[in-house]
Amino acid sequence: MNFLRGVMGGPSAGPQPSGADTIQKLCDRVASSTLLDDRRDAVRALKSLSKKYRLEVGIQAMEHLIRVLQTDRSDSEIIGYALDTLYNVISNDLEEEEQEENSAKQVDDLGSQFTEIFIKQQENVTLLLTLVEEFDFHVRWPGVKLLTSLLKQQGPQVQQIILVSPMGVSRLMDLLADSREVIRNDGVLLLQQLTKSNAAIQKIVAFENAFERLLDIITEEGNSDGGIVVEDCLLLLQNLLKNNNSNQNFFKEGSYIQRMKPWFEVGDDNCGWSAQKVTNLHLMLQLVRVLVSPTNPPGATSSCQKAMFHCGLLQQLCTILMATGVPADILTETINTVSEVIRGCQTNQDYFASVNAPSNPPRPAIVVLLMSMVNERQPFVLRCAVLYCFQCFLYKNQKGQGEIVSTLLPSTIDATGNSVSAGQLLCGGLFSTDSLSNWCAAVALAHALQENATLKEQLLRVQLATSIGNPPVSLLQQCTNILSQGSKVQTRVGLLMLLCTWLSNCSIAVTHFLHNPANVPFLTGQIAENLGEEEQLVQGLCALLLGISIYYNDNSLENYRKEKLKQLIEKRIGRENFIEKLGFISKHELYSRAAQKPQPSFSSPDHMMFDHEFTKLVKELEGVISKAIYKSSEEDKKEEEVKKTLEQHDNIVTHYKKVIREQDQELEELKQRINTLTSQNEQLQATVTQQVSQIQQHKDQYNLLKVQLGKDTQHHNSHGDTFQMNGIQTEEVSKLKEELEEWKNKHELLQGQLKEKDSVIEKMNSSQLEMGTTEQSSQTSKFGGLEHSNELQKELEMLRSQTQLQSVEISKLQMENQKLQVMNTTADPMLGDSGATAAMSSELEGQLEQEIKELKSQVKALSEEKESLKQHLDSSSSTVAILQDEKSKLQREVAESKKEQDDLLVLLADQDQKISALKMKLKDLGVPVEDEDDTESGDQGDEDEDGDEEEQD
């Protein structure tokens, strides 16, 4: 009752409502009834009263309803009623028609208090998770809704209970696979609440294949043309990916970025987009930005940017960017998305620089966007988005910075004036009457100079024609002229930020700035005055610019040396006053907002004062300038000397780096030469080894010839050439001998194979002759097999004749070989006379060459005959295989016929026994039986026996 008093605001006055007694009776019925039907009716009645009497039902019935969930799980109907009742009590989404205005806050707080009571026992949440697993619609759906409501009321506590519950998150993931769309869609809402601000649950859900299932649902629902289900899935994806580096990496590694490309396919006619489509596309663009946010780790952002380029997602976004009829808020978000996809990624930045708008003539997308930025009639958020896009395009992109600055230089300006360049648009915005255009153009130009000293020097060459007949003025001088004219605060802040960025870390630009005698008096005058709060920001920026002029001063101008400028500050402003004015910048509220994130986000144009990158510059220079102001001339001299020493040291280091770089190049060249020489050496060594082996072979041949021909050393010296020729001949003769040996071996193998075939065929013939006594059907197959065997015998005879021919040819070759050997032995005595020897050797050479040719032709013929023999053997082996198959078939048939004969013999024996038994019976009956019936032929006897059996029957 203390809880009731706390909710109602005090003790109850007057009689209780009539519904309270009814609720009490229903609770008693639920607690005490033994019949399930009675309990079910009571819970159904409590459900109907739970909306109107939410407080009473919650206080009195919650415990009984939880007990019903525990004990009556077999009845899905009563479980569904109990879950619905608890949902009505806990949820704050229901409309309270009869609540009073002063108790609205208390009623809204009821859900949180009832949720706290429910989850106090963690078993209740675990029980609810078990019920959500049930497939019955009347149990699962109200269970999902109740769990969603619990998460809305007490999210962190319920999340922790589900996290420690075994397979708690995995059970809920099964809801996405439910075929009933109502449960699936409510499951998405449940997971939205479950994954809020809980990285551990986000990781579990992601690794339970949530990305795949959600992307499938989005595709099934029609991508951006889908309904609110697509919106819910996108919100869940944002919960899983935002500020979760692990899930972002898993999303990228799973190739899910590629599946986002179809989301952004738009047609030519983009009119009449529904509000739901605009919402869906807006969330899709935000999801892309989550993956490439500047707050993510640089490595993760870079890998996602590259993946988006390679899969064509960036190209698709640029198509939307240049399309017509796209709603303004979608166009703005698309510009912001493209900005972060290209930020700091050189490949994406180069692609964006090549994108052209579909105009005549085509213009670069950058130029078209800048035209929108400097157009005061465009929406403020769109202009901010274009500025952010330009900043991201130039971020860490020196190539892009150079292209922008080159459009301002005199040598590259289009003299015809047919096309407008980015530089011209920036100058036009810088000096227009619209202060917002001045600020945006100044910040954009400052980003073109960021951390690029070369471009800062080149920008000093830019000359502007202010009016007809007057000489041109430098861009730097024109900026200071506008400052001194007392324009709007926003314009002056933008120009001062540009000048500070331009002069920082560029001594030449500082010299040009100080060369104008009006600039320093203007700055000191602005700083020294006591102005209002609005002007304090301008005073701080003037102090920063003057401090930059001192810190980066190279003392090239005698009248504006560092020491003289410090003395000027001391006399006209005061050092403390100067430092105080310098501190106005970092203490400003708008400075703190701009320092938080790179994207310029301002509630109104008046708040657009600081740029994110400029806040980094202020943070870097503020302390340095403060120290420089208090330094004495001696310290400055020492610092100058230190700087010179450092410069000399840097020059020396640079020189040695150059020398080392050249030496590295020479080393690389020498290494390459060594590698080539090594490879050449290896090749030469291999060649030498090959030649040595060939020489050794020649020596071996030479020694072999000496042994075979039996020549002495003196004779060998006088007739070396003839021996060499004879050596060659004997070598060929030895080769022929080897070939003859091979043919002999092959001939013997063929004869052995023929003998094996003969034996196989003889065995088959003998087996076929043995089967000649079988039935007539098998005889026909036998005759066919014999005919086949006769054909095989004929083929074997042919093979024998061919082998005989081969043996004759082999004998001929042997005879010729013997002749050659005789000719070689008889060649020795013929070598006495030198002339006779030469003639004889030439004659022998001719004969040997002719005989070698004949032998080669014979060898070729033998090889052809060998191939034909192989073919005959293959054909004979195939016929033998066929005969073996036929033999096996015949054997099976013979076995079957034998089996049939045995069966017939058994039947005949049975009949004989029956006949003899019948005869005995007839004799016993006195019937005369003739013994001649037993001696009759088989056929007649069988007929008489059948007749006798019929008479007996």
Side-chain angles (χ1 to χ4, degrees):
M1 293 304 293
N2 291 331
F3 169 71
L4 178 61
R5 292 193 188 97
V7 173
M8 299 301 291
S12 59
Q16 292 183 344
S18 58
D21 296 335
T22 306
I23 292 168
Q24 185 61 46
K25 292 177 181 178
L26 292 172
C27 291
D28 294 340
R29 284 180 60 189
V30 172
S32 59
S33 294
T34 56
L35 294 176
L36 179 62
D37 292 338
D38 292 343
R39 293 199 301 275
R40 186 190 303 120
D41 293 339
V43 174
R44 186 192 295 117
L46 286 172
K47 175 190 171 184
S48 62
L49 294 172
S50 59
K51 293 182 181 179
K52 188 175 182 180
Y53 300 102
R54 179 183 178 190
L55 177 63
E56 290 80 3
V57 172
I59 293 172
Q60 300 182 38
M62 181 174 288
E63 184 179 352
H64 301 294
L65 294 172
I66 293 172
R67 190 176 296 109
V68 167
L69 297 178
Q70 294 171 346
T71 57
D72 293 330
R73 289 187 55 185
S74 59
D75 186 72
S76 60
E77 192 174 357
I78 191 172
I79 295 294
Y81 292 147
L83 291 171
D84 283 332
T85 308
L86 289 171
Y87 173 74
N88 293 340
V89 170
I90 289 173
S91 176
N92 287 331
D93 297 337
L94 302 172
E95 294 182 0
E96 300 290 340
E97 297 178 356
E98 298 182 1
Q99 68 179 12
E100 298 179 0
E101 293 183 0
N102 58 357
S103 63
K105 185 176 180 180
Q106 293 178 346
V107 172
D108 289 339
D109 195 45
L110 281 178
S112 177
Q113 297 186 28
F114 283 131
T115 302
E116 192 173 352
I117 295 171
F118 185 85
I119 67 174
K120 187 175 291 185
Q121 298 293 329
Q122 295 188 5
E123 295 80 8
N124 296 339
V125 180
T126 306
L127 175 63
L128 190 54
L129 290 172
T130 308
L131 293 173
V132 168
E133 281 189 295
E134 296 289 336
F135 186 75
D136 194 307
F137 181 82
H138 298 289
V139 176
R140 197 172 205 181
W141 188 38
V144 170
K145 291 195 297 181
L146 176 58
L147 192 54
T148 306
S149 183
L150 292 173
L151 285 164
K152 285 181 180 179
Q153 303 297 338
Q154 299 286 342
Q157 293 87 339
V158 181
Q159 284 175 342
Q160 193 60 32
I161 295 171
I162 294 174
L163 190 60
V164 299
S165 176
M167 300 295 290
V169 179
S170 300
R171 296 181 197 177
L172 300 180
M173 283 300 301
D174 293 338
L175 297 172
L176 296 181
D178 201 304
S179 58
R180 295 160 293 193
E181 290 190 1
V182 176
I183 294 178
R184 184 199 68 185
N185 299 343
D186 282 353
V188 173
L189 296 175
L190 169 60
L191 291 172
Q192 276 184 29
Q193 299 297 326
L194 181 65
T195 55
K196 275 186 178 178
S197 305
N198 194 310
I201 293 178
Q202 290 169 1
K203 290 178 183 179
I204 296 172
V205 171
F207 282 94
E208 288 284 345
N209 207 20
F211 294 138
E212 184 77 28
R213 296 183 184 180
L214 292 172
L215 292 173
D216 287 342
I217 295 172
I218 291 172
T219 304
E220 291 170 5
E221 295 292 326
N223 294 328
S224 60
D225 293 322
I228 196 166
V229 180
V230 173
E231 179 183 348
D232 294 336
C233 291
L234 291 169
L235 289 171
L236 177 53
L237 284 171
Q238 281 193 21
N239 283 356
L240 296 175
L241 292 173
K242 197 168 186 178
N243 299 324
N244 194 317
N245 300 328
S246 174
N247 283 1
Q248 289 174 7
N249 186 56
F250 181 66
F251 191 85
K252 178 185 71 68
E253 295 296 334
S255 300
Y256 296 119
I257 291 178
Q258 288 81 336
R259 296 188 61 179
M260 298 169 73
K261 183 187 174 185
W263 295 355
F264 304 103
E265 293 177 354
V266 295
D268 296 332
D269 185 14
N270 296 313
C271 299
W273 283 13
S274 64
Q276 187 61 55
K277 180 173 183 177
V278 172
T279 303
N280 291 344
L281 205 53
H282 201 273
L283 290 170
M284 290 171 177
L285 291 168
Q286 287 182 352
L287 192 62
V288 175
R289 293 185 66 185
V290 165
L291 295 171
V292 293
S293 173
T295 58
N296 293 343
T301 300
S302 177
S303 59
C304 289
Q305 287 173 334
K306 291 175 183 177
M308 289 176 183
F309 173 76
H310 290 302
C311 75
L313 180 57
L314 175 60
Q315 294 83 331
Q316 203 67 47
L317 292 173
C318 290
T319 303
I320 299 177
L321 201 65
M322 296 291 107
T324 56
V326 178
D329 52 347
I330 294 297
L331 181 61
T332 303
E333 190 64 24
T334 304
I335 294 171
N336 288 326
T337 306
V338 171
S339 306
E340 294 183 351
V341 173
I342 68 173
R343 186 177 189 269
C345 181
Q346 188 66 51
T347 305
N348 295 5
Q349 289 167 339
D350 291 342
Y351 170 77
F352 184 68
S354 66
V355 175
N356 288 323
S359 59
N360 192 15
R363 289 177 175 172
I366 297 173
V367 173
V368 176
L369 292 173
L370 288 177
M371 292 172 69
S372 301
M373 186 184 75
V374 298
N375 187 354
E376 56 185 312
R377 288 175 294 181
Q378 293 291 341
F380 172 65
V381 290
L382 179 64
R383 297 173 75 180
C384 291
V386 173
L387 175 62
Y388 184 45
C389 185
F390 192 73
Q391 291 174 351
C392 292
F393 170 67
L394 298 177
Y395 183 71
K396 293 184 179 179
N397 183 12
Q398 292 189 354
K399 180 182 175 183
Q401 289 176 327
E403 291 173 353
I404 296 299
V405 172
S406 65
T407 59
L408 286 166
L409 299 178
S411 59
T412 56
I413 295 176
D414 187 6
T416 59
N418 292 331
S419 62
V420 180
S421 66
Q424 291 171 343
L425 287 170
L426 290 176
C427 283
L430 196 61
F431 307 123
S432 71
T433 56
D434 179 31
S435 61
L436 187 59
S437 298
N438 301 153
W439 191 91
C440 291
V443 170
L445 197 55
H447 276 262
L449 303 175
Q450 200 81 36
E451 298 180 0
N452 198 324
T454 305
L455 295 181
K456 291 177 182 178
E457 295 177 8
Q458 288 186 5
L459 200 64
L460 296 171
R461 297 166 45 203
V462 177
Q463 301 289 322
L464 303 175
T466 54
S467 60
I468 299 173
N470 293 330
V473 180
S474 68
L475 178 61
L476 183 64
Q477 184 60 45
Q478 185 64 19
C479 291
T480 56
N481 291 341
I482 296 173
L483 271 177
S484 60
Q485 291 174 3
S487 54
K488 293 182 180 179
V489 173
Q490 192 174 38
T491 301
R492 284 182 288 162
V493 168
L495 290 172
L496 286 167
M497 285 195 298
L498 172 60
L499 291 172
C500 290
T501 305
W502 194 348
L503 269 60
S504 64
N505 204 19
C506 185
S507 300
I508 299 175
V510 172
T511 303
H512 277 72
F513 178 75
L514 296 176
H515 194 269
N516 186 355
N519 289 339
V520 174
F522 168 74
L523 292 178
T524 54
Q526 288 286 319
I527 300 168
E529 291 183 8
N530 291 322
L531 303 174
E533 292 183 1
E534 293 182 356
E535 294 292 332
Q536 285 182 352
L537 190 55
V538 177
Q539 287 182 316
L541 291 170
C542 288
L544 180 65
L545 183 57
L546 186 57
I548 291 172
S549 301
I550 295 172
Y551 184 72
Y552 292 105
N553 192 342
D554 59 357
N555 295 327
S556 58
L557 294 176
E558 185 63 30
N559 295 331
Y560 296 103
R561 297 174 65 86
K562 286 186 177 182
E563 189 60 32
K564 289 186 177 181
L565 290 174
K566 290 180 185 178
Q567 292 174 1
L568 186 65
I569 290 174
E570 181 67 28
K571 290 179 182 178
R572 295 191 179 180
I573 305 170
R575 291 180 180 178
E576 291 77 9
N577 191 22
F578 179 86
I579 299 300
E580 183 184 357
K581 297 292 176 69
L582 183 62
F584 284 163
I585 303 173
S586 56
K587 293 177 182 177
H588 203 280
E589 180 185 359
L590 298 178
Y591 174 90
S592 302
R593 291 183 187 176
Q596 292 176 359
K597 58 181 180 178
Q599 182 183 0
S601 56
F602 305 100
S603 56
S604 68
D606 296 335
H607 292 163
M608 186 178 269
M609 287 294 176
F610 284 108
D611 172 57
H612 178 74
E613 292 297 325
F614 181 73
T615 60
K616 294 181 181 178
L617 181 66
V618 172
K619 189 176 181 180
E620 177 186 349
L621 294 177
E622 186 176 7
V624 174
I625 291 172
S626 300
K627 291 179 182 178
I629 294 298
Y630 283 102
K631 281 181 182 178
S632 62
S633 58
E634 294 179 356
E635 291 176 344
D636 285 337
K637 288 179 182 179
K638 289 181 181 179
E639 187 176 350
E640 288 295 329
E641 291 176 358
V642 170
K643 281 186 179 180
K644 288 180 181 179
T645 306
L646 289 173
E647 287 177 0
Q648 291 176 357
H649 180 266
D650 290 340
N651 293 332
I652 294 170
V653 170
T654 306
H655 172 68
Y656 280 114
K657 283 182 179 178
K658 185 178 179 182
V659 171
I660 291 169
R661 195 178 298 112
E662 292 174 355
Q663 290 177 350
D664 287 339
Q665 291 177 357
E666 291 177 0
L667 281 173
E668 288 297 327
E669 293 175 359
L670 290 173
K671 284 179 181 178
Q672 291 177 0
R673 288 182 62 187
I674 289 170
N675 291 331
T676 53
L677 290 173
T678 304
S679 61
Q680 290 177 2
N681 186 24
E682 291 175 354
Q683 291 176 359
L684 291 172
Q685 285 180 354
T687 306
V688 168
T689 306
Q690 187 178 1
Q691 290 177 352
V692 168
S693 64
Q694 289 178 357
I695 290 168
Q696 187 64 36
Q697 288 178 2
H698 290 314
K699 285 182 179 179
D700 295 339
Q701 291 175 4
Y702 174 74
N703 294 328
L704 183 63
L705 287 173
K706 281 177 67 177
V707 172
Q708 288 179 349
L709 300 177
K711 298 297 181 179
D712 58 353
T713 307
Q714 183 178 359
H715 202 75
H716 174 72
N717 292 330
S718 60
H719 301 287
D721 297 335
T722 306
F723 278 98
Q724 188 176 2
M725 181 62 69
N726 289 335
I728 295 170
Q729 292 169 358
T730 54
E731 185 181 354
E732 291 182 356
V733 169
S734 62
K735 288 182 181 178
L736 289 172
K737 285 181 179 180
E738 292 175 358
E739 289 180 359
L740 285 173
E741 290 296 329
E742 289 179 1
W743 282 111
K744 285 180 180 180
N745 295 330
K746 291 177 182 177
H747 180 68
E748 291 175 359
L749 289 172
L750 289 172
Q751 285 182 346
Q753 291 177 359
L754 287 172
K755 288 179 181 179
E756 290 177 1
K757 302 293 182 184
D758 289 339
S759 62
V760 172
I761 290 169
E762 288 175 359
K763 288 179 182 179
M764 291 175 63
N765 288 334
S766 61
S767 63
Q768 287 175 354
L769 290 173
E770 289 174 358
M771 291 187 293
T773 57
T774 58
E775 356 184 279
Q776 192 169 358
S777 61
S778 63
Q779 290 177 358
T780 57
S781 62
K782 171 193 168 187
F783 292 146
L786 289 171
E787 290 175 359
H788 206 75
S789 66
N790 292 329
E791 291 177 0
L792 283 175
Q793 288 177 353
K794 290 178 181 179
E795 290 180 358
L796 288 171
E797 292 296 329
M798 291 174 66
L799 291 172
R800 287 195 185 95
S801 63
Q802 288 177 358
T803 52
Q804 289 175 0
L805 290 173
Q806 285 184 353
S807 63
V808 171
E809 290 176 355
I810 288 168
S811 64
K812 286 181 181 180
L813 290 171
Q814 288 175 349
M815 292 294 293
E816 290 174 356
N817 187 18
Q818 291 175 0
K819 287 180 181 180
L820 288 171
Q821 290 177 353
V822 171
M823 290 171 69
N824 284 328
T825 55
T826 57
D828 294 338
M830 295 179 184
L831 297 173
D833 189 7
S834 62
T837 301
M840 193 69 182
S841 62
S842 61
E843 186 178 356
L844 285 172
E845 286 176 8
Q847 290 177 1
L848 284 172
E849 286 178 359
Q850 186 176 1
E851 290 174 358
I852 287 167
K853 288 181 181 178
E854 291 176 359
L855 287 172
K856 287 182 178 179
S857 62
Q858 290 174 3
V859 169
K860 185 177 180 182
L862 287 173
S863 64
E864 291 176 356
E865 289 177 1
K866 175 189 172 185
E867 292 296 328
S868 63
L869 285 171
K870 282 184 178 180
Q871 293 177 359
H872 285 301
L873 282 173
D874 293 338
S875 62
S876 63
S877 61
S878 63
T879 53
V880 167
I882 294 168
L883 287 173
Q884 286 179 350
D885 292 339
E886 292 178 353
K887 175 185 174 183
S888 60
K889 289 180 182 178
L890 291 172
Q891 288 176 348
R892 285 197 297 270
E893 290 175 356
V894 168
E896 290 176 358
S897 63
K898 286 181 179 180
K899 185 178 180 182
E900 290 176 358
Q901 288 176 359
D902 293 339
D903 294 339
L904 288 172
L905 290 172
V906 171
L907 289 172
L908 288 172
D910 292 339
Q911 288 178 356
D912 289 338
Q913 290 178 0
K914 289 180 181 178
I915 289 168
S916 60
L918 290 171
K919 283 181 179 180
M920 292 296 295
K921 289 181 180 179
L922 289 172
K923 287 180 181 180
D924 293 337
L925 293 172
V927 177
V929 178
E930 297 180 0
D931 294 334
E932 296 176 354
D933 295 339
D934 298 331
T935 62
E936 290 182 356
S937 61
D939 296 336
Q940 186 67 35
D942 292 339
E943 291 175 359
D944 293 339
E945 287 171 4
D946 294 339
D948 293 337
E949 287 175 3
E950 288 175 3
E951 289 176 1
Q952 288 298 323
D953 293 337

